[in-house]
Amino acid sequence: MLLPRVLTAIIGIPLVFVVIYSGGLPFYLFISFVIAMSLMEYSTMLKSNLRPVDELSLMLMGMVFPLVFYLNGAGYSDIYNFLPFFISLGFIIPFAFELFRKEKYLERVSYTVVGIFFISYNISHLISLREIKPYGMKLLILILVCVWVMDSVAYFIGSKFGKNKLNDISPKKTVEGFVAAVISAVLFFYLASKFFDFLNLKSFLTLGIIISISGQLSDLAESLIKRACGVKDSSNLLPGHGGFFDRFDSYIFVAPIVYYWVIFVNR
């Protein structure tokens, strides 16, 4: 498993940095692809456990949100004023589709809406993070690297020294690993503050705390879905890494929380 994992990382990591550097349309297309693949994996997991989901409205509304965030960053700022309308559509469309089905299930609407907002709406905020002027690219790269660092530290400390289970959702996660991830993220942004000056030291340290906690909670939320579906990985599309949903799960809570926190700090 080590070789496929390394090869996937060698190919994937440079690609991620290239699209982040490019921004604009290339980054939008990349995030849309990630969202689409994650939604398909989400749907497949649910169906494998006989849980109903409406794939049409899931994919339809799932692709709307990254487009809205991209158009806002591309200069069509008026469309962002209609974001509450599109959020409402995220509920209306699944309900409307269900009303015309022969067999109607409220559960299908629920699972569909969860997928739309948990995956698409949240991850789409990465597009807005990238478009924050003038430091969006730097900030997004720091977030990605921080998540990689804290995940590695949490895994190492948890596997070597972890004795207290964090919860029942993911048996391998420990309190020791969770705390180590928080400390490593704070230290990472402390070091980042020495090289970047677009935020002050207090904001950088706060960012480390926000990312470490929200990132780990986001990971646990995806684990909750996988546990409910009885699967270990969302798919095997990325050898050694699971699926796209697995690889981007930490950013599901991080993206919106960090984006609105940065907007609040700079208001």
Side-chain angles (χ1 to χ4, degrees), residues 244-266:
F244 285 87
F245 196 15
D246 295 318
R247 287 305 87 204
F248 287 84
D249 59 353
S250 295
Y251 306 101
I252 292 174
F253 289 170
V254 167
I257 292 176
V258 170
Y259 174 72
Y260 291 113
W261 176 80
V262 170
I263 296 301
F264 175 79
V265 169
N266 293 308

Side-chain angles (χ1 to χ4, degrees), residues 20-58:
I20 291 176
Y21 176 80
S22 301
L25 181 60
F27 189 63
Y28 155 69
L29 293 175
F30 172 74
I31 293 300
S32 295
F33 175 75
V34 169
I35 289 173
M37 298 304 296
S38 298
L39 289 174
M40 286 190 286
E41 291 171 349
Y42 171 76
S43 176
T44 300
M45 286 192 296
L46 289 174
K47 290 190 297 182
S48 69
N49 201 251
L50 301 179
R51 297 175 185 270
V53 61
D54 179 37
E55 292 178 310
L56 181 56
S57 57
L58 178 71

Side-chain angles (χ1 to χ4, degrees), residues 39 42-43 46 52-62 65 86-98 105-122 225 245 252:
L39 289 174
Y42 171 76
S43 176
L46 289 174
V53 61
D54 179 37
E55 292 178 310
L56 181 56
S57 57
L58 178 71
M59 298 305 298
L60 175 63
M61 291 308 304
F65 284 115
F86 290 112
I87 290 175
S88 295
L89 282 183
F91 292 91
I92 293 171
I93 296 298
F95 266 104
F97 282 20
E98 195 65 29
Y105 299 108
L106 181 59
E107 293 85 353
R108 179 159 38 220
V109 176
S110 301
Y111 287 126
T112 302
V113 169
V114 167
I116 291 169
F117 287 95
F118 180 65
I119 298 173
S120 178
Y121 178 73
N122 284 337
I225 294 173
F245 196 15
I252 292 174

